[in-house]
Amino acid sequence: MPTTRADEHREPEHLDVVIVGAGLSGVGAAYRLQTLRPGSSYAILEAREQLGGTWDLFRYPGVRSDSDMYTLGYAFKPWLGKKPLADGDSILDYIRETATEFGIEDRIRYSSKVVAADFDTAAARWRLEIEDGRDRSRRTMTCGFLYSCAGYYDYDTPHTPDFAGVESFAGTVVHPQFWPEDLDYRGKRVIVIGSGATAVTLVPAMLSGADAAAHVTMLQRSPTWISAVPSRDRAAERLHALLPATVAHRLTRWRKIAFTTAFYQFCRRSPQRARALLTRMNERILGDPALVAEHFTPSYDPWDQRLCAVPSGDLFRAVKSGSATVVTDRIERFTEDGIRLASGEVLRADIVVTATGLRLLPFGGISPRVDGRDVPLAEQFVWNGAMVTGLPNFATCVGYTNASWTLRADLTHRLVCKVLDWMQREGHTVVQPRPEPGLAEQPLLDLSSGYVTRSIGEFPRQGDRAPWRVRQNYVLDSLTTLRTDLGRSLAGSRGAVLNAEPQPQH
């Protein structure tokens, strides 16, 4: 239908809250919003044509969670699957089921990419420019509060180093982020470049089933800390057999939280003992201390970078059987039939998978502006892991790096609802955090991983003390985040100082 003159002058649609992203976080945010603030109007804007985010995008063999599903899943919807580290399809089904069960699916607007966001201080609302991915048409809408649940990865452009001679390679080169559906690796020689979560998942997955590769080599520049974990949680299964599902889920969830928190603290406080423990475990599985020393003992301490978990030690079993090989060396260049290493060795391959990581991207690529002016994100601070200085009526969802993303995400969803309640109660239409004097800035993500160090300078900072410190401790966060006294903060007490503008009285 052609656009009429009346359409051109029609006021854009206005909603109380707009959530960006219909992945695990966005669906969780919608549930909390409609449950804790049932009178709020909202929509989820999703750039793609499917919900699920990461779990719909990534389709490489063996894609799975690297956190247990009892904590990666929602607190309000028990995970009933048998595998703690679930496969991508099962997680996607779980998200879809949640969205349908709670009526969230009806609030999702697909093919709706936010390409511009400008906050109008006088009107106390965000003006969003939205592009339809199908025909590139654009429309506008406004909202009182903007909540980014799009994560911090660039899903359009992965990180791929410039490999010398790659154009001369006669085989196939693929990146896991864009896995071809018709890729046939059966009986082929495969090299997987990388040593992170994607690589350690791909190697055993490509060696299983009727379509198994002939041999897979994991080529790493340096080792990563890898730990074998059980493929099933027998204790959780016993609890579910004896107790109601919600009770069993709650007990299992807190048991997992306690263990991961304690292990992380152990690694950070006693790194040498943690190194020794992980080394002994891997030597016990592989039965070859020299192999562990060369390929599975990093120079950095555990949890300086994210720890990789392998269910039932599947990667180690593949290496031990001889069907997989780990090579630690640098790439000199690609050749016609493989890769020449700095040592002079040539690895032959039919397929090369560049599992070289992702790029980080703030707010899913949105560059928010205020009254038409750019906001330099790298100069801002994050308050309570959610709201950002310089950005009124805005929050972002940033999960944990040492535990399940969803644990922190759910706290943030509830904090956003608390702020919205407070604004309504106190008559405020605009609120934003204002940093305390003397904050020492630190990177938002405290990891030395390459994917973090390459791009984290473009993100807002965290401070050196609460509530500006983005802690990696769910137990402490669960006790403090939702107890933030916004009223006292406005009074100028120590802690977060919210700069709020009262709603005009009529």
Side-chain angles (χ1 to χ4, degrees):
M1 182 180 294
T3 302
T4 66
R5 186 173 298 275
D7 292 329
E8 294 174 356
H9 295 284
R10 182 179 301 165
E11 282 295 312
E13 178 188 16
H14 178 78
L15 297 171
D16 294 327
V17 181
V18 163
I19 298 168
V20 180
L24 192 65
S25 297
V27 170
Y31 173 84
R32 289 301 184 189
L33 183 64
Q34 67 185 28
T35 303
L36 299 177
R37 290 185 54 81
S40 294
S41 59
Y42 82 92
I44 304 176
L45 302 184
E46 169 55 51
R48 305 177 72 244
E49 295 189 41
Q50 299 288 336
L51 62 71
T54 296
W55 304 108
D56 178 67
L57 177 68
F58 292 127
R59 299 298 181 91
Y60 59 82
V63 58
R64 66 190 179 210
S65 64
D66 61 353
S67 298
D68 72 272
M69 286 303 301
Y70 300 109
T71 54
L72 186 64
Y74 302 116
F76 56 85
K77 183 174 174 58
W79 170 256
L80 300 178
K82 296 293 186 183
K83 296 180 180 179
L85 300 187
D87 61 90
D89 286 342
S90 296
I91 299 173
L92 183 57
D93 288 343
Y94 173 76
I95 299 171
R96 287 172 175 161
E97 184 179 300
T98 303
T100 300
E101 179 180 342
F102 296 103
I104 296 167
E105 171 74 29
D106 297 334
R107 303 296 190 102
I108 303 173
R109 303 185 185 180
Y110 296 105
S111 297
S112 297
K113 181 177 182 178
V114 179
V115 294
D118 193 345
F119 187 77
D120 183 335
T121 303
R125 60 181 54 184
W126 285 94
R127 186 177 183 86
L128 309 177
E129 187 172 353
I130 302 161
E131 182 177 88
D132 189 318
R134 295 162 296 195
D135 58 13
R136 303 301 180 190
S137 62
R138 294 195 175 188
R139 66 186 189 277
T140 60
M141 68 182 300
T142 63
C143 63
F145 199 97
L146 181 61
Y147 186 18
S148 174
C149 289
Y152 49 56
Y153 290 124
D154 184 342
Y155 290 116
D156 295 326
T157 309
H159 173 70
T160 304
D162 293 326
F163 294 114
V166 67
E167 68 284 349
S168 66
F169 180 56
T172 302
V173 179
V174 299
H175 193 285
Q177 192 164 332
F178 304 110
W179 194 268
E181 291 185 6
D182 59 350
L183 181 66
D184 180 11
Y185 54 84
R186 180 172 46 189
K188 304 289 181 64
R189 298 168 298 177
V190 180
I191 295 175
V192 177
I193 302 175
S195 60
T198 301
V200 303
T201 298
L202 269 168
V203 173
M206 297 183 76
L207 290 167
S208 63
D211 296 329
H215 189 273
V216 180
T217 300
M218 188 172 87
L219 173 58
Q220 59 184 12
R221 186 172 56 181
S222 58
T224 295
W225 284 113
I226 302 172
S227 177
V229 298
S231 59
R232 295 179 65 177
D233 189 328
R234 303 293 182 181
E237 292 176 14
R238 286 194 294 271
L239 285 175
H240 277 276
L242 296 171
L243 299 172
T246 54
V247 177
H249 176 69
R250 188 176 299 116
L251 290 174
T252 300
R253 186 177 175 88
W254 274 105
R255 180 172 60 85
K256 293 288 188 180
I257 289 169
F259 175 79
T260 55
T261 301
F263 184 69
Y264 175 77
Q265 293 298 326
F266 166 69
C267 290
R268 303 311 286 165
R269 296 178 182 182
S270 304
Q272 293 307 313
R273 292 172 61 195
R275 293 176 67 92
L277 174 63
L278 290 170
T279 299
R280 284 197 306 271
M281 291 171 59
N282 293 346
E283 287 176 349
R284 190 178 303 120
I285 297 171
L286 287 165
D288 187 342
L291 178 68
V292 173
E294 182 177 3
H295 301 303
F296 297 103
T297 306
S299 58
Y300 63 87
D301 289 330
W303 281 113
D304 282 352
Q305 298 181 23
R306 191 172 173 91
L307 191 72
C308 289
V310 289
S312 297
D314 56 4
L315 173 68
F316 297 139
R317 287 189 285 107
V319 171
K320 194 172 182 178
S321 71
S323 57
T325 304
V326 179
V327 175
T328 304
D329 205 337
R330 292 181 177 271
I331 296 173
E332 179 181 296
R333 65 179 298 107
F334 274 65
T335 64
E336 183 178 358
D337 59 353
I339 296 176
R340 178 181 294 120
L341 306 177
S343 63
E345 181 183 1
V346 176
L347 302 177
R348 311 293 179 185
D350 304 298
I351 299 171
V352 174
V353 181
T354 56
T356 46
L358 301 169
R359 296 177 186 268
L360 298 185
L361 187 68
F363 312 149
I366 301 172
S367 299
R369 311 181 83 196
V370 175
D371 295 327
R373 296 187 299 273
D374 293 331
V375 176
L377 296 182
E379 298 175 11
Q380 310 306 317
F381 284 90
V382 174
W383 172 82
N384 264 319
M387 297 182 72
V388 182
T389 61
L391 295 177
N393 296 15
F394 178 88
T396 184
C397 181
V398 179
Y400 290 119
T401 57
N402 71 326
S404 293
W405 175 279
T406 315
L407 291 175
R408 174 71 247 186
D410 191 53
L411 284 176
T412 302
H413 305 334
R414 295 159 67 192
L415 178 62
V416 167
C417 291
K418 177 183 173 75
V419 170
L420 292 171
D421 282 344
W422 174 81
M423 290 175 68
Q424 183 178 30
R425 185 174 62 252
E426 298 297 324
H428 299 301
T429 59
V430 180
V431 63
Q432 62 179 315
R434 187 174 62 223
E436 302 170 16
L439 275 179
E441 65 177 49
Q442 299 176 5
L444 181 62
L445 302 179
D446 187 20
L447 288 176
S448 62
S449 305
Y451 76 92
V452 173
T453 58
R454 282 191 296 268
S455 309
I456 198 63
E458 303 171 12
F459 283 70
R461 308 295 197 238
Q462 63 171 312
D464 58 343
R465 57 187 181 273
W468 307 97
R469 179 73 174 163
V470 181
R471 291 181 301 205
Q472 297 296 319
N473 191 318
Y474 176 74
V475 176
L476 290 179
D477 285 341
S478 65
L479 293 173
T480 59
T481 300
L482 298 178
R483 288 180 168 83
T484 301
D485 189 334
L486 305 182
R488 289 186 60 187
S489 298
L490 279 174
S493 65
R494 223 175 141 189
V497 180
L498 294 179
N499 177 22
E501 299 180 7
Q503 182 174 358
Q505 301 297 315
H506 299 288

